[in-house]
Amino acid sequence: MNTHIITIGDEILIGQVVDTNSAWMGQQLNFFGANVTHIDSISDTMEAIQEALARAVKTADLILMTGGLGPTKDDITKKAIADFMGVEMVFNQPTYDRIIRIFERLGRTTTPAHKEQCYMPANAKLLYNKMGSAPGMWFEYEDTIIVSMPGVPYEMKYLMEHEVLPKIKSHFKVKTVLHRTILTVGEGESRIAARIEDIEAQLPAHIKLAFLPNLGKVRLRLSTIGDDEEALRNELQHYAKQIEDRIPELVFGYEKQTLEEVVGKILKERNLTLATAESCTGGFLAHKITSIAGSSAYFMGSVVAYSNAVKVRQLGVAEATLEAHGAVSEATVVEMVAGARKLLQTDIAIAISGVAGPGGGTPEKPVGTVWLAIGNQEKTVTRKLQIGKDRLKNIEYATVQALNMIRKFVLAEYALIHSDR
Amino acid sequence: MNTHIITIGDEILIGQVVDTNSAWMGQQLNFFGANVTHIDSISDTMEAIQEALARAVKTADLILMTGGLGPTKDDITKKAIADFMGVEMVFNQPTYDRIIRIFERLGRTTTPAHKEQCYMPANAKLLYNKMGSAPGMWFEYEDTIIVSMPGVPYEMKYLMEHEVLPKIKSHFKVKTVLHRTILTVGEGESRIAARIEDIEAQLPAHIKLAFLPNLGKVRLRLSTIGDDEEALRNELQHYAKQIEDRIPELVFGYEKQTLEEVVGKILKERNLTLATAESCTGGFLAHKITSIAGSSAYFMGSVVAYSNAVKVRQLGVAEATLEAHGAVSEATVVEMVAGARKLLQTDIAIAISGVAGPGGGTPEKPVGTVWLAIGNQEKTVTRKLQIGKDRLKNIEYATVQALNMIRKFVLAEYALIHSDR
């Protein structure tokens, strides 16, 4: 199926926004064999939109449009599509009712622009957009399917996943494309590649392996395409297992799982409670842990001890320790763990202290130096990282390593079933 | 000058690579008034390249092409351009000599493909590419300038900066484009549009206003184009000021500033210290604040009181308050503020407690209910939000509102210069 993506809006053309939507859509379509042949970024004018549509319908089976559906004046996509197809705009009462309801719940009033927003091309099938006020639209125009979605990434993604992709699957005859993604943490891309080199060399031609690294985590994605779904699935499973058996200690999950989700699951299964004591990560570890629904079952809280005074007063780090070793030291994070466990009364605590940068580095402790410690009543494990110079990357990378330390500590120290806790 | 960008290569279409080149080129061109009207990402086939050129030459004064100039088989851009213009390919000895020299220096031998790479369209002016083996090419075709560059970002950037932009400047009579972006928080897109409707209606035709919303923040971007830079600048300034004067309480900054950066700046200027006490946001507010380099000057730390026990033990929230009003209540966040200020010994503290979801909602406090409080020794201000159903959006939206509460509280309560603190 030949697919065109049309993105509408000057913000991409003037370079204010990098178009990440198209890459994401390209990946999704890829999963079931749709071939994106054009990505066309255009201005939000009637002429540009209609010219792009005229060009695309010549060859495309599917046209995905993003942008230009909001209530402000510069949003004219709908009108342009209607004119292009030669249909009227009609008022859609259910969409208006929904906007009214949303605004009432927020205790706010609507403006005439919101009513304006509810006129839709007469032949549009509306696609429910849980994430925003503008619905998506599905059109069947001659031999081409045209889909219009908002340009806000989370709205577009919601619509694609819940409405557009299922409809595409049922409308077009799609080949089966299967993926199996193994999630790893703890080794870099090239080290993993070396460890599984012989397995990769033996993969049949219709199975591909991709390494997708991201801040200390590497996803290994096996992909295959064909007709016999069950045979393909078994084959993927076979090779996935070979890879896993080779690097078991690195594998933390599959597909779209996140490390924080896996950490939450293993804590919950063991009925353990966790606290964090964070300096350089500034609450980002607590944020990742609490981004998981239901995390209150195992996460009690965090002390973000950004200043040394808070490390001393709240976490009970000894002034002498800070003087002798500094805030970024093994001794300090060990005392932070003990302090956090006691203060927040948890089974386990983890502590992080480092130099996030760009300032604060010294010859002995350059920017990117991070100490971590995790412990329970019996045991404490420490680790030192030397990351890079970018503040946000240092924070994110240290947080990934902290999550992995929790995972490894819990798996090593706590059996899944035990009756005495 | 009407400009089209054509990017060639499947890696963008299948989403393997996000197209950051186009955004960068768009920004550069913007600086001197080139108006990018189309970004066209296409496959590396003769047909696709020639179809894109045929389309672009109809309206474009300038066509910038990237990709498809390397020695591998799928790189056919040059041949496609030559065929499109009806010119021969001719061997270019200086390019070949240079490749031979580079490879000799690296101690490597060339392949026949490298010689192949030195055939150029007869009418190409070659542009010296210090960063790679493939030169850029400049064509004058009828009324259009066509430029072809490698797709590797650092090669493209080198060529743009050292060869292409200077040539564009001298070839075209370049106009000036200016932007002024006003950053707002606290009202939605359509409410702001309604408040400044008359100002927008009066904008001259050469000044455009765009609304760019994102999670409770809206950027208002004024753009203009013309010849007289100073006059344009004054004009933009004039309309920007009209808008600002209409919605002064919503404006937190300009251009690429962030809300957390602005909050940091106003705290630092007043020599104030801040603590946060977070429940539903789980450390995300502390993370945003500490994402700013130098935040340790004003941010002391946070108590992420995810469990009620921590709210009571650490922050001194009364058990009776929790029993009478619940954790998500005005009374609780007010006590959390007092507790955090005392515990972390800061001038100001802010507290957040809410139902992030997806579980935990009740008829009285549905998912998305969030209470916030901010206070110093003398005064505490509270606010209730009713957000949506998505956990991460609730966390992010509440955090934006919290940052805005800090901003407004500090601006209202603390003059910039005071000698008694």
Side-chain angles (χ1 to χ4, degrees), chain A residues 5 10-20 22-28 30 35-45 48 51-52 55 58 70-75 103 105-106 108-114 130-132 152 154-155 279-296 299-307 310 313-314 342-345 357-359 391-392 395-396, chain B residues 5 10 12-20 22-24 26-27 30 36-43 48 51-52 55 179 181 186-191 193-194 197 200-201 208-215 219 221 223 256 279-284 286-288 290-296 299-307 310 313-314 342-345 357-359 386-393 395 397:
Chain A
I5 295 172
D10 286 339
E11 61 277 16
I12 289 173
L13 297 174
I14 65 169
Q16 198 169 47
V17 165
V18 170
D19 175 23
T20 54
S22 295
W24 187 88
M25 287 191 278
Q27 285 170 7
Q28 300 305 308
N30 236 7
N35 187 13
V36 176
T37 56
H38 289 81
I39 301 168
D40 202 355
S41 295
I42 56 170
S43 189
D44 45 9
T45 65
E51 189 264 350
R55 176 199 190 202
K58 277 186 210 157
T72 54
K73 273 191 196 170
D74 53 344
D75 292 337
F103 274 69
R105 205 177 60 211
L106 298 173
R108 293 160 75 171
T109 54
T110 55
T111 67
H114 288 106
K130 188 180 164 186
M131 297 297 170
V152 182
Y154 61 80
E155 297 190 30
S279 183
C280 67
T281 50
F284 195 61
L285 176 58
H287 164 61
K288 290 310 261 184
I289 293 168
T290 59
S291 68
I292 302 305
S295 48
S296 57
F299 185 65
M300 294 301 107
S302 175
V303 175
V304 179
Y306 219 58
S307 76
V310 176
R313 282 200 310 267
Q314 294 309 307
K342 201 174 141 199
L343 195 70
L344 302 176
Q345 301 186 3
R391 181 178 180 85
L392 280 181
I395 291 171
E396 287 176 23
Chain B
I5 295 172
D10 287 338
I12 289 173
L13 298 174
I14 65 171
Q16 198 167 47
V17 165
V18 170
D19 174 23
T20 54
S22 296
W24 187 87
Q27 284 170 7
N30 235 9
V36 177
T37 56
H38 290 81
I39 301 168
D40 203 356
S41 294
I42 57 171
S43 189
E51 189 264 350
R55 177 200 190 202
H179 298 285
T181 305
E187 288 268 30
E189 182 182 0
S190 34
R191 292 287 291 247
E197 201 177 6
E200 193 180 2
K208 281 191 175 184
L209 174 62
F211 292 79
L212 308 164
N214 183 30
L215 277 176
R219 287 179 296 144
R221 191 188 64 219
S223 309
K256 288 182 182 281
S279 184
C280 66
T281 49
F284 194 62
H287 164 60
K288 290 310 261 186
T290 59
S291 69
I292 302 303
S295 47
S296 57
F299 185 65
M300 295 301 107
S302 175
V303 176
V304 179
Y306 219 58
S307 76
V310 175
R313 281 200 311 268
Q314 293 309 307
K342 201 173 142 199
L343 195 70
L344 302 177
Q345 301 185 4
Q386 193 62 54
I387 318 174
K389 288 184 181 168
D390 184 85
R391 181 178 181 85
L392 279 182
K393 265 175 87 178
I395 290 171
Y397 189 91

Side-chain angles (χ1 to χ4, degrees), chain A residues 30-33 175-178 206-207 223-227 232:
Chain A
N30 236 7
F31 287 151
F32 48 93
K175 272 214 180 206
T176 300
V177 173
L178 292 180
H206 64 284
I207 298 189
S223 309
T224 187
I225 185 162
D227 292 313
L232 292 172

Side-chain angles (χ1 to χ4, degrees), chain A residues 34 36 132 166-168 220:
Chain A
V36 176
K167 280 177 83 76
I168 291 172
L220 307 180

Side-chain angles (χ1 to χ4, degrees), chain A residues 9 53 68 85 99 127 174 180 185 204 208 210 228 248 250 268 283 347 387 390 399:
Chain A
L53 277 171
M85 296 186 297
I99 292 177
L127 309 175
V174 292
R180 176 79 176 152
V185 60
K208 283 188 176 183
D228 183 345
L250 304 182
K268 203 170 172 182
D347 299 310
I387 318 174
D390 183 87
T399 298

Side-chain angles (χ1 to χ4, degrees), chain A residues 394-411:
Chain A
N394 287 340
I395 291 171
E396 287 176 23
Y397 189 92
T399 298
V400 167
Q401 297 304 323
L403 287 167
N404 197 34
M405 275 181 86
I406 302 171
R407 182 181 78 91
K408 289 172 82 169
F409 186 83
V410 172
L411 293 179

Side-chain angles (χ1 to χ4, degrees), chain B residues 144-215:
Chain B
T144 306
I145 296 296
I146 301 175
V147 179
S148 168
M149 291 172 281
V152 182
Y154 63 80
E155 295 189 32
M156 179 279 291
K157 286 179 186 172
Y158 176 86
L159 275 164
M160 281 290 282
E161 283 171 351
H162 294 86
E163 298 282 337
V164 180
L165 290 174
K167 279 177 83 74
I168 290 173
K169 274 186 191 170
S170 74
H171 186 273
F172 293 96
K173 192 180 169 177
V174 292
K175 287 209 177 201
T176 301
V177 170
L178 294 178
H179 298 285
R180 176 81 175 153
T181 305
I182 303 167
L183 310 174
T184 75
V185 59
E187 288 268 30
E189 182 182 0
S190 34
R191 292 287 291 247
I192 297 174
R195 284 179 65 182
I196 63 172
E197 201 177 6
D198 58 316
I199 301 174
E200 193 180 2
Q202 284 164 28
L203 290 176
H206 64 283
I207 298 189
K208 281 191 175 184
L209 174 62
F211 292 79
L212 308 164
N214 183 30
L215 277 176

